[in-house]
Amino acid sequence: MILIIYFCYNHNRLTLIKNNLILAIESSCDDTAAAVLNNRRVLSNCIHNQNTIHIPYGGIVPELASRAHQSKITPIVNQALYEANIDKKDLNAIAYTQGPGLLGSLLIGSSFAKSMSLALKIPIIPINHMHGHILAHFIENNNYEPPKFPFIGITVSGGHTQILYVNDYFDMKIIGNTLDDAIGEAFDKCGKRIGLSYPAGQQIDELAKTGDSKKFSFPISNLSGYNLSYSGVKTAFLNFIQNKENKSPNFIKENLNDICASLQYTLTKIILIKIEEIASDFNVNKIVIGGGVSANSELRKQLKNLSSIKKWNLFLPPLEYTTDNAAMIGIAAYYKLRNKKFGELTEISQPRLKE
Ligand code: KG4
Ligand code: ZN
């Protein structure tokens, strides 16, 4: 019996070792994350979220984020290896986020990855965080076939609002971009004004469920061309709240659910209009969405409605891969490892990394 168990265990390990084993690290913002992937399969996906550190400040404090990454990166990497049942000596490559993101946060992940690659004598694979949000759809999943190229990719997060034409794994052209605030940033800043803690997106989503989205109306910006803007609606919202509060100090408390539903309707409508325009102009019917705001239930519902009307093939990520995670960095690295596209130790972190 013991022999059989021993054989199975080692057989499993040998099967894994023959394939690509990647340790991936994500530290672009306020989540310290590590994952282990065996080809497209996620063996572990661990995250240390820093929300409790930043909540008292109502937003991310970059200096505190870097310090927290520094103290958490070793335990999170160890946890990812432990949960994957992988010895670090069996790894074939180490992936990390090269950008975009906060410089101090990116530096912790890249320095850690480089040191580990030197010690283990294995390659590093620098990854663009935004590619990770899109390529998360290629993680092995029994219920889910990955999208076929080309498709329209949408990344909606706290730092980005982009619409991309995705030709291949690393051939993505930005068609539309926010000219000012990101959609997640608008959720968070408006949420802060009505007393919600950072990050407010998920709380607004919850509160909106029992609210009336038509109760209040805010301007729905629609720029000509494919770019978007969120600063106008944010300012209009802040002024609206101020005016209402001047007349009735309990306005927020008495209308919280309706305020959230109306705000959420407006913020999602702005991007939905652009997606519709772009899908029609580029004649592409595959729509793939990623990033923290792709967890939003109103956005998901409206995208499903539009898809059935427009006959789109819609790809919504599993919730665990919407907000920042290291599995999405690992899957992007897998497609680089397949083609032996490795990084150099001299590679620098790029806070404003684009396509
Ligand atoms: O992708 P992500 O984890 O980090 C960045 O790359 O920015 O996205 C975080 C953003 C935050 O702004 C957060 O409020 C928003 O995603 N978010 C949501 C929801 N869950 C997270 N926004 C709206 N509805 C949600 N359910
Ligand atoms: Zn992100």
Side-chain angles (χ1 to χ4, degrees):
M1 180 65 174
I2 289 168
L3 270 176
I4 294 169
I5 294 169
Y6 178 80
F7 173 78
C8 292
Y9 175 73
N10 277 291
H11 178 72
N12 183 35
R13 278 175 72 84
L14 286 176
T15 326
L16 291 173
I17 292 160
K18 263 196 285 172
N19 294 304
N20 301 312
L21 275 177
I22 301 168
L23 169 69
I25 293 167
E26 153 61 31
S27 70
S28 63
C29 195
D30 60 340
D31 294 299
T32 317
V36 177
L37 273 79
N38 179 213
N39 293 321
R40 290 172 50 230
R41 187 152 57 99
V42 175
L43 303 183
S44 63
N45 189 27
C46 303
I47 301 181
H48 173 263
N49 182 277
Q50 302 180 0
N51 282 352
T52 50
I53 296 171
H54 303 290
I55 281 172
Y57 303 92
I60 298 168
V61 184
E63 173 75 19
L64 297 182
S66 324
R67 290 183 197 195
H69 282 307
Q70 201 166 36
S71 90
K72 289 296 171 207
I73 195 153
T74 306
I76 280 291
V77 165
N78 282 339
Q79 190 187 337
L81 289 167
Y82 176 80
E83 287 185 15
N85 190 22
I86 292 294
D87 190 311
K88 56 182 177 300
K89 293 195 192 74
D90 295 334
L91 293 170
N92 300 106
I94 302 183
Y96 67 93
T97 304
Q98 183 175 28
L102 301 170
L103 182 60
S105 295
L106 292 167
L107 284 173
I108 305 291
S110 73
S111 305
F112 191 94
K114 287 178 182 181
S115 315
M116 215 167 154
S117 102
L118 267 174
L120 297 171
K121 299 188 177 54
I122 55 173
I124 43 164
I125 308 181
I127 295 295
N128 180 328
H129 180 88
M130 304 314 288
H131 290 171
H133 274 306
I134 294 290
L135 297 178
H137 287 269
F138 291 80
I139 289 171
E140 191 175 299
N141 180 339
N142 290 339
N143 313 311
Y144 195 85
E145 268 297 303
K148 302 250 183 313
F149 300 109
F151 57 77
I152 299 292
I154 301 141
T155 49
V156 277
S157 70
H160 299 271
T161 310
Q162 292 182 337
I163 307 182
L164 308 142
Y165 187 88
V166 184
N167 241 323
D168 206 344
Y169 298 106
F170 300 104
D171 180 3
M172 307 186 187
K173 293 267 166 298
I174 299 173
I175 311 170
N177 213 341
T178 179
L179 296 180
D180 37 62
D181 292 354
I183 182 169
E185 195 178 351
F187 268 103
D188 297 339
K189 286 182 176 164
C190 293
K192 184 177 175 185
R193 179 62 184 84
I194 53 174
L196 305 179
S197 59
Y198 172 85
Q202 199 183 354
Q203 298 161 70
I204 292 175
D205 195 350
E206 275 309 309
L207 291 162
K209 283 184 180 139
T210 48
D212 175 2
S213 63
K214 299 278 167 7
K215 179 82 179 277
F216 307 111
S217 65
F218 306 110
I220 296 176
S221 63
N222 186 9
L223 305 182
S224 63
Y226 301 129
N227 286 330
L228 309 101
S229 166
Y230 277 98
S231 74
V233 59
K234 180 193 69 187
T235 309
F237 179 84
L238 301 181
N239 289 339
F240 166 85
I241 295 291
Q242 195 56 54
N243 287 338
K244 291 287 185 187
E245 264 193 330
N246 289 345
K247 289 180 203 138
S248 156
N250 287 333
F251 175 76
I252 296 176
K253 213 164 128 205
E254 286 160 3
N255 295 279
L256 189 58
N257 299 81
D258 295 337
I259 295 171
C260 288
S262 306
L263 173 68
Q264 176 173 270
Y265 171 82
T266 312
L267 297 181
T268 52
K269 187 77 182 167
I270 291 171
I271 189 142
L272 287 163
I273 292 172
K274 280 294 167 226
I275 298 170
E276 222 180 311
E277 249 174 70
I278 289 175
S280 153
D281 291 0
F282 285 74
N283 198 21
V284 176
N285 74 344
K286 277 163 280 170
I287 308 291
V288 176
I289 189 155
V293 182
S294 67
N296 184 266
S297 59
E298 172 72 10
L299 185 59
R300 290 171 96 96
K301 186 176 98 191
Q302 294 302 339
L303 278 170
K304 282 182 195 162
N305 287 345
L306 267 176
S307 299
S308 70
I309 298 166
K310 306 265 172 194
K311 307 276 174 280
W312 290 344
N313 202 351
L314 176 67
F315 295 83
L316 295 169
L319 287 179
E320 68 205 284
Y321 301 134
T322 54
T323 44
D324 289 350
N325 63 88
M328 70 184 203
I329 302 303
I331 187 72
Y334 162 71
Y335 288 104
K336 294 222 166 185
L337 180 60
R338 277 198 331 178
N339 295 321
K340 301 213 168 0
K341 287 219 170 340
F342 302 129
E344 303 287 335
L345 288 174
T346 50
E347 214 98 40
I348 56 167
S349 294
Q350 296 193 37
R352 293 182 191 281
L353 184 63
K354 298 240 156 55
E355 287 151 285

